[in-house]
PDB file of all heavy atoms in Angstrom:
ATOM      1  N   ILE A   2     -10.345   8.273  -4.952  1.00  0.00           N
ATOM      2  CA  ILE A   2     -10.284   8.379  -6.402  1.00  0.00           C
ATOM      3  C   ILE A   2     -11.632   8.845  -6.945  1.00  0.00           C
ATOM      4  O   ILE A   2     -12.678   8.285  -6.630  1.00  0.00           O
ATOM      5  CB  ILE A   2      -9.910   7.028  -7.038  1.00  0.00           C
ATOM      6  CG1 ILE A   2      -8.520   6.594  -6.543  1.00  0.00           C
ATOM      7  CG2 ILE A   2      -9.923   7.118  -8.554  1.00  0.00           C
ATOM      8  CD1 ILE A   2      -8.134   5.210  -6.988  1.00  0.00           C
ATOM      9  N   THR A   4     -14.625   9.165  -9.417  1.00  0.00           N
ATOM     10  CA  THR A   4     -15.209   8.195 -10.334  1.00  0.00           C
ATOM     11  C   THR A   4     -14.897   8.554 -11.786  1.00  0.00           C
ATOM     12  O   THR A   4     -15.053   9.694 -12.207  1.00  0.00           O
ATOM     13  CB  THR A   4     -16.734   8.121 -10.151  1.00  0.00           C
ATOM     14  OG1 THR A   4     -17.018   7.768  -8.793  1.00  0.00           O
ATOM     15  CG2 THR A   4     -17.338   7.074 -11.080  1.00  0.00           C
ATOM     16  N   ILE A  38     -19.087 -10.663 -21.975  1.00  0.00           N
ATOM     17  CA  ILE A  38     -19.986  -9.563 -21.614  1.00  0.00           C
ATOM     18  C   ILE A  38     -20.334  -9.610 -20.128  1.00  0.00           C
ATOM     19  O   ILE A  38     -20.265  -8.598 -19.417  1.00  0.00           O
ATOM     20  CB  ILE A  38     -21.276  -9.619 -22.456  1.00  0.00           C
ATOM     21  CG1 ILE A  38     -20.981  -9.270 -23.913  1.00  0.00           C
ATOM     22  CG2 ILE A  38     -22.328  -8.648 -21.893  1.00  0.00           C
ATOM     23  CD1 ILE A  38     -22.157  -9.485 -24.852  1.00  0.00           C
ATOM     24  N   ASP A  55     -19.792  -7.815 -36.643  1.00  0.00           N
ATOM     25  CA  ASP A  55     -20.441  -7.733 -37.955  1.00  0.00           C
ATOM     26  C   ASP A  55     -21.558  -8.764 -38.059  1.00  0.00           C
ATOM     27  O   ASP A  55     -22.115  -8.987 -39.128  1.00  0.00           O
ATOM     28  CB  ASP A  55     -19.409  -7.960 -39.062  1.00  0.00           C
ATOM     29  CG  ASP A  55     -18.672  -9.292 -38.910  1.00  0.00           C
ATOM     30  OD1 ASP A  55     -18.494  -9.743 -37.763  1.00  0.00           O
ATOM     31  OD2 ASP A  55     -18.268  -9.878 -39.922  1.00  0.00           O
ATOM     32  N   LEU A  66     -28.125  -8.997 -23.439  1.00  0.00           N
ATOM     33  CA  LEU A  66     -27.347  -9.068 -22.197  1.00  0.00           C
ATOM     34  C   LEU A  66     -27.034  -7.685 -21.632  1.00  0.00           C
ATOM     35  O   LEU A  66     -26.326  -7.565 -20.623  1.00  0.00           O
ATOM     36  CB  LEU A  66     -26.040  -9.831 -22.457  1.00  0.00           C
ATOM     37  CG  LEU A  66     -26.206 -11.319 -22.784  1.00  0.00           C
ATOM     38  CD1 LEU A  66     -24.880 -11.915 -23.242  1.00  0.00           C
ATOM     39  CD2 LEU A  66     -26.730 -12.079 -21.563  1.00  0.00           C
ATOM     40  N   GLU A  71     -25.565  -1.201 -30.957  1.00  0.00           N
ATOM     41  CA  GLU A  71     -26.602  -0.625 -31.812  1.00  0.00           C
ATOM     42  C   GLU A  71     -26.225  -0.673 -33.292  1.00  0.00           C
ATOM     43  O   GLU A  71     -27.099  -0.789 -34.150  1.00  0.00           O
ATOM     44  CB  GLU A  71     -26.891   0.819 -31.391  1.00  0.00           C
ATOM     45  CG  GLU A  71     -27.383   0.962 -29.965  1.00  0.00           C
ATOM     46  CD  GLU A  71     -28.645   0.160 -29.695  1.00  0.00           C
ATOM     47  OE1 GLU A  71     -29.536   0.139 -30.568  1.00  0.00           O
ATOM     48  OE2 GLU A  71     -28.724  -0.464 -28.616  1.00  0.00           O
ATOM     49  N   ARG A  74     -20.478  -3.600 -37.076  1.00  0.00           N
ATOM     50  CA  ARG A  74     -19.179  -3.190 -37.595  1.00  0.00           C
ATOM     51  C   ARG A  74     -19.198  -3.293 -39.124  1.00  0.00           C
ATOM     52  O   ARG A  74     -19.630  -4.312 -39.676  1.00  0.00           O
ATOM     53  CB  ARG A  74     -18.078  -4.108 -37.042  1.00  0.00           C
ATOM     54  CG  ARG A  74     -16.656  -3.647 -37.395  1.00  0.00           C
ATOM     55  CD  ARG A  74     -15.623  -4.726 -37.167  1.00  0.00           C
ATOM     56  NE  ARG A  74     -15.565  -5.210 -35.802  1.00  0.00           N
ATOM     57  CZ  ARG A  74     -14.620  -6.047 -35.373  1.00  0.00           C
ATOM     58  NH1 ARG A  74     -13.685  -6.495 -36.215  1.00  0.00           N
ATOM     59  NH2 ARG A  74     -14.625  -6.469 -34.120  1.00  0.00           N
ATOM     60  N   ASN A  82      -7.619  -9.360 -41.867  1.00  0.00           N
ATOM     61  CA  ASN A  82      -6.456  -8.505 -41.659  1.00  0.00           C
ATOM     62  C   ASN A  82      -6.833  -7.120 -41.151  1.00  0.00           C
ATOM     63  O   ASN A  82      -6.006  -6.214 -41.092  1.00  0.00           O
ATOM     64  CB  ASN A  82      -5.646  -8.371 -42.961  1.00  0.00           C
ATOM     65  CG  ASN A  82      -6.483  -7.797 -44.100  1.00  0.00           C
ATOM     66  OD1 ASN A  82      -7.707  -7.739 -44.016  1.00  0.00           O
ATOM     67  ND2 ASN A  82      -5.823  -7.371 -45.164  1.00  0.00           N
ATOM     68  N   GLN A  87      -9.206   0.015 -35.309  1.00  0.00           N
ATOM     69  CA  GLN A  87     -10.197   0.660 -36.156  1.00  0.00           C
ATOM     70  C   GLN A  87     -11.617   0.284 -35.727  1.00  0.00           C
ATOM     71  O   GLN A  87     -12.536   1.108 -35.773  1.00  0.00           O
ATOM     72  CB  GLN A  87      -9.963   0.281 -37.624  1.00  0.00           C
ATOM     73  CG  GLN A  87      -8.665   0.809 -38.210  1.00  0.00           C
ATOM     74  CD  GLN A  87      -8.583   2.337 -38.139  1.00  0.00           C
ATOM     75  OE1 GLN A  87      -9.543   3.032 -38.447  1.00  0.00           O
ATOM     76  NE2 GLN A  87      -7.436   2.845 -37.730  1.00  0.00           N
ATOM     77  N   GLU A  95     -19.794   5.742 -32.794  1.00  0.00           N
ATOM     78  CA  GLU A  95     -21.224   5.456 -32.770  1.00  0.00           C
ATOM     79  C   GLU A  95     -21.833   5.666 -31.380  1.00  0.00           C
ATOM     80  O   GLU A  95     -22.971   6.121 -31.253  1.00  0.00           O
ATOM     81  CB  GLU A  95     -21.480   4.020 -33.251  1.00  0.00           C
ATOM     82  CG  GLU A  95     -21.083   3.750 -34.694  1.00  0.00           C
ATOM     83  CD  GLU A  95     -21.863   4.602 -35.684  1.00  0.00           C
ATOM     84  OE1 GLU A  95     -23.006   4.982 -35.379  1.00  0.00           O
ATOM     85  OE2 GLU A  95     -21.310   4.908 -36.760  1.00  0.00           O
ATOM     86  N   LYS A 114     -10.612 -13.348 -14.758  1.00  0.00           N
ATOM     87  CA  LYS A 114     -11.271 -13.098 -13.478  1.00  0.00           C
ATOM     88  C   LYS A 114     -11.635 -11.624 -13.342  1.00  0.00           C
ATOM     89  O   LYS A 114     -10.866 -10.749 -13.732  1.00  0.00           O
ATOM     90  CB  LYS A 114     -10.350 -13.493 -12.319  1.00  0.00           C
ATOM     91  CG  LYS A 114     -10.059 -14.975 -12.217  1.00  0.00           C
ATOM     92  CD  LYS A 114      -9.197 -15.259 -10.997  1.00  0.00           C
ATOM     93  CE  LYS A 114      -8.912 -16.749 -10.840  1.00  0.00           C
ATOM     94  NZ  LYS A 114      -8.071 -17.015  -9.644  1.00  0.00           N
ATOM     95  N   ARG A 151      20.960 -19.610 -33.409  1.00  0.00           N
ATOM     96  CA  ARG A 151      21.048 -19.065 -34.762  1.00  0.00           C
ATOM     97  C   ARG A 151      21.920 -19.970 -35.640  1.00  0.00           C
ATOM     98  O   ARG A 151      22.901 -20.534 -35.163  1.00  0.00           O
ATOM     99  CB  ARG A 151      21.614 -17.642 -34.727  1.00  0.00           C
ATOM    100  CG  ARG A 151      20.671 -16.643 -34.084  1.00  0.00           C
ATOM    101  CD  ARG A 151      21.282 -15.245 -34.023  1.00  0.00           C
ATOM    102  NE  ARG A 151      20.320 -14.271 -33.534  1.00  0.00           N
ATOM    103  CZ  ARG A 151      20.033 -14.080 -32.251  1.00  0.00           C
ATOM    104  NH1 ARG A 151      20.661 -14.806 -31.331  1.00  0.00           N
ATOM    105  NH2 ARG A 151      19.144 -13.179 -31.876  1.00  0.00           N
ATOM    106  N   THR A 153      24.049 -20.089 -39.215  1.00  0.00           N
ATOM    107  CA  THR A 153      24.652 -19.355 -40.328  1.00  0.00           C
ATOM    108  C   THR A 153      25.563 -20.286 -41.107  1.00  0.00           C
ATOM    109  O   THR A 153      26.576 -20.759 -40.583  1.00  0.00           O
ATOM    110  CB  THR A 153      25.462 -18.137 -39.826  1.00  0.00           C
ATOM    111  OG1 THR A 153      24.607 -17.327 -39.003  1.00  0.00           O
ATOM    112  CG2 THR A 153      25.974 -17.314 -40.994  1.00  0.00           C
ATOM    113  N   GLY A 198       2.669   6.083 -24.840  1.00  0.00           N
ATOM    114  CA  GLY A 198       3.211   6.707 -23.632  1.00  0.00           C
ATOM    115  C   GLY A 198       3.826   5.681 -22.702  1.00  0.00           C
ATOM    116  O   GLY A 198       4.341   4.651 -23.132  1.00  0.00           O
ATOM    117  N   GLU A 210      -6.117 -18.400 -16.534  1.00  0.00           N
ATOM    118  CA  GLU A 210      -6.464 -17.093 -17.098  1.00  0.00           C
ATOM    119  C   GLU A 210      -5.720 -16.835 -18.406  1.00  0.00           C
ATOM    120  O   GLU A 210      -6.209 -16.123 -19.279  1.00  0.00           O
ATOM    121  CB  GLU A 210      -6.136 -15.976 -16.112  1.00  0.00           C
ATOM    122  CG  GLU A 210      -7.196 -15.730 -15.070  1.00  0.00           C
ATOM    123  CD  GLU A 210      -6.982 -14.414 -14.336  1.00  0.00           C
ATOM    124  OE1 GLU A 210      -6.063 -14.358 -13.489  1.00  0.00           O
ATOM    125  OE2 GLU A 210      -7.711 -13.450 -14.589  1.00  0.00           O
ATOM    126  N   GLU A 226     -11.380 -27.860 -18.800  1.00  0.00           N
ATOM    127  CA  GLU A 226     -10.954 -27.089 -17.632  1.00  0.00           C
ATOM    128  C   GLU A 226     -12.129 -26.415 -16.931  1.00  0.00           C
ATOM    129  O   GLU A 226     -12.049 -26.079 -15.759  1.00  0.00           O
ATOM    130  CB  GLU A 226      -9.930 -26.017 -18.020  1.00  0.00           C
ATOM    131  CG  GLU A 226      -8.578 -26.587 -18.409  1.00  0.00           C
ATOM    132  CD  GLU A 226      -7.567 -25.501 -18.688  1.00  0.00           C
ATOM    133  OE1 GLU A 226      -7.964 -24.331 -18.821  1.00  0.00           O
ATOM    134  OE2 GLU A 226      -6.365 -25.827 -18.759  1.00  0.00           O
TER     135      GLU A 226
END
Side-chain angles (χ1 to χ4, degrees):
I2 299 173
T4 302
I38 290 172
D55 56 329
L66 293 171
E71 299 302 319
R74 187 195 301 188
N82 59 346
Q87 294 301 315
E95 296 298 332
K114 294 183 178 180
R151 292 178 174 81
T153 306
E210 277 194 286
E226 290 184 347

